[in-house]
Amino acid sequence: MEEESMEEEGGGGCEAMMDDQNHNNWGAGGYGRHLLSPAAAAAPLGDRLLSTPGPELPAVPEANGVLRGCEPGGAAGKGGAGAIAAAININASTSKFLMNVITIEDYKSTYWPKLDSAIDQLLTQSPGDYIPISYEQIYSCVYKCVCQQHSEQMYSDLIKKITNHLERVSKELQASPQDLYIERFNVALGQYMGALQSIVPLFIYMNKFYIETKLNRDLKDDLIKLFTEHVAEKHIYNLMPLLLEAQSTPFQITPSTMANIVKGLYTLRPEWVQMAPALFSKFIPNILPPAVESELQEYAAQDQKLQRELMQNGFTR
């Protein structure tokens, strides 16, 4: 019963492995540290093994897996430490941990394919669609891969996956007819931003223990930057004239579509405001400088023009 208790308390899960903030140094210095007192945790590994409470371990023949002393020249006998360490057998929890190691081959053949499939579905879903994936399973896959030091490979695979998707999206937009261009850009932007609301939380452990810690960046910012570089930058000079034309022709596109695109472009790159300040000012507060008294007549003329356009399209006062 004592051995079972030890296995549950010090088993080979990620909780034991995630002792350091990077998940990359969970070996002798971190594994099981939460089971020791501060003084014991600071002691050398051999002393910690000797001082850790537990059931008395019987002497086991060398052929059955005894942990041998490491000190050279027969120094294992000093103070009795080497002799006792030589009698410590690999316990059940350590064996379980060793069997649960995720190799790079395991990652590529088992774990990444699950993540790849889930990302595909999230990137291509329509708003309101039900996605038949297990968020718990995907979160667990990411968690285990981070624990097993595959963060760098997983981040690289994620960026490559999403980059390829966005390049396809960009090519589809390029092939769109002019009358559908704005609507399709709006769908692509909304679909991607919606997907990030699921993708970023699923990779929260990779973000916290690799991207933020080692790269000093943030996953959401990186993924938004990908859309900016591979889609928005390639289409902004075709899109903006169409938006200005639509602005001058009321109801050519819905107000919600115009608002979504303008706000989205501002989120991607605020300096794009300079391309059409008047357009952005209708949806983003404080874009234009404060109104001055000398321009009040011009503001009134603009309001009157808008009212006439509304009446011409069937709206009454």
Side-chain angles (χ1 to χ4, degrees):
M1 294 296 292
E2 289 178 333
E3 292 182 358
E4 293 177 1
S5 175
M6 289 180 65
E7 178 174 350
E8 293 174 359
E9 193 172 6
C14 284
E15 290 81 356
M17 292 186 285
M18 291 178 60
D19 185 70
D20 88 330
Q21 64 176 356
N22 295 327
H23 292 244
N24 292 323
N25 299 312
W26 43 260
Y31 181 70
R33 186 178 298 167
H34 64 290
L35 302 178
L36 305 176
S37 66
L45 176 59
D47 294 340
R48 277 186 273 150
L49 288 172
L50 297 177
S51 61
T52 303
E56 183 176 353
L57 298 171
V60 182
E62 181 177 332
N64 288 339
V66 173
L67 290 178
R68 300 176 59 84
C70 300
E71 298 179 277
K78 291 182 180 180
I84 298 175
I88 300 177
N89 192 25
I90 297 176
N91 61 31
S93 62
T94 305
S95 299
K96 179 180 178 182
F97 167 73
L98 292 174
M99 289 188 293
N100 285 341
V101 168
I102 300 173
T103 66
I104 187 62
E105 290 77 16
D106 295 332
Y107 165 81
K108 292 180 178 179
S109 64
T110 302
Y111 287 86
W112 176 249
K114 293 179 181 179
L115 300 175
D116 184 274
S117 176
I119 295 167
D120 254 338
Q121 295 183 63
L122 291 171
L123 288 173
T124 57
Q125 68 176 328
S126 298
D129 280 358
Y130 169 74
I131 304 299
I133 64 175
S134 170
Y135 287 87
E136 182 179 2
Q137 183 185 60
I138 301 306
Y139 182 89
S140 177
C141 281
V142 173
Y143 183 51
K144 291 175 182 177
C145 291
V146 171
C147 290
Q148 296 279 340
Q149 308 181 61
H150 297 303
S151 296
E152 182 176 359
Q153 182 66 53
M154 184 164 53
Y155 175 73
S156 175
D157 289 339
L158 177 63
I159 295 300
K160 182 178 179 181
K161 171 74 177 178
I162 293 182
T163 297
N164 290 339
H165 167 77
L166 292 176
E167 288 177 349
R168 290 194 299 270
V169 169
S170 181
K171 290 179 180 179
E172 290 173 359
L173 284 173
Q174 288 175 351
S176 297
Q178 292 284 79
D179 59 331
L180 299 177
Y181 192 89
I182 294 178
E183 287 289 350
R184 290 185 178 178
F185 184 91
N186 181 54
V187 170
L189 176 63
Q191 191 175 50
Y192 185 75
M193 292 302 182
L196 294 194
Q197 294 181 14
S198 296
I199 293 174
V200 172
L202 287 176
F203 286 87
I204 186 172
Y205 269 92
M206 182 183 72
N207 188 43
K208 182 175 182 180
F209 293 101
Y210 176 71
I211 302 175
E212 290 183 355
T213 304
K214 287 196 170 183
L215 305 181
N216 295 317
R217 298 202 302 265
D218 178 77
L219 178 59
K220 184 176 180 180
D221 293 341
D222 283 0
L223 298 184
I224 289 177
K225 184 179 179 181
L226 287 181
F227 188 91
T228 303
E229 293 177 349
H230 295 281
V231 180
E233 283 184 353
K234 295 180 179 179
H235 294 272
I236 186 67
Y237 294 105
N238 291 330
L239 179 65
M240 192 60 67
L242 294 176
L243 291 176
L244 293 172
E245 180 183 347
Q247 179 194 20
S248 63
T249 308
F251 311 108
Q252 180 174 330
I253 62 173
T254 64
S256 61
T257 296
M258 181 70 80
N260 289 340
I261 294 178
V262 171
K263 291 178 180 179
L265 292 175
Y266 183 76
T267 299
L268 297 177
R269 185 154 292 174
E271 57 265 33
W272 281 339
V273 166
Q274 303 305 319
M275 299 179 67
L279 174 62
F280 279 86
S281 68
K282 293 186 175 182
F283 305 97
I284 309 295
N286 304 319
I287 292 295
L288 297 177
V292 294
E293 185 176 356
S294 60
E295 296 179 350
L296 290 179
Q297 290 184 349
E298 182 179 348
Y299 299 147
Q302 291 177 355
D303 289 341
Q304 292 174 359
K305 178 182 178 183
L306 177 60
Q307 292 177 12
R308 288 195 300 270
E309 291 173 345
L310 291 173
M311 293 176 64
Q312 291 172 0
N313 285 274
F315 286 81
T316 57
R317 304 182 67 177

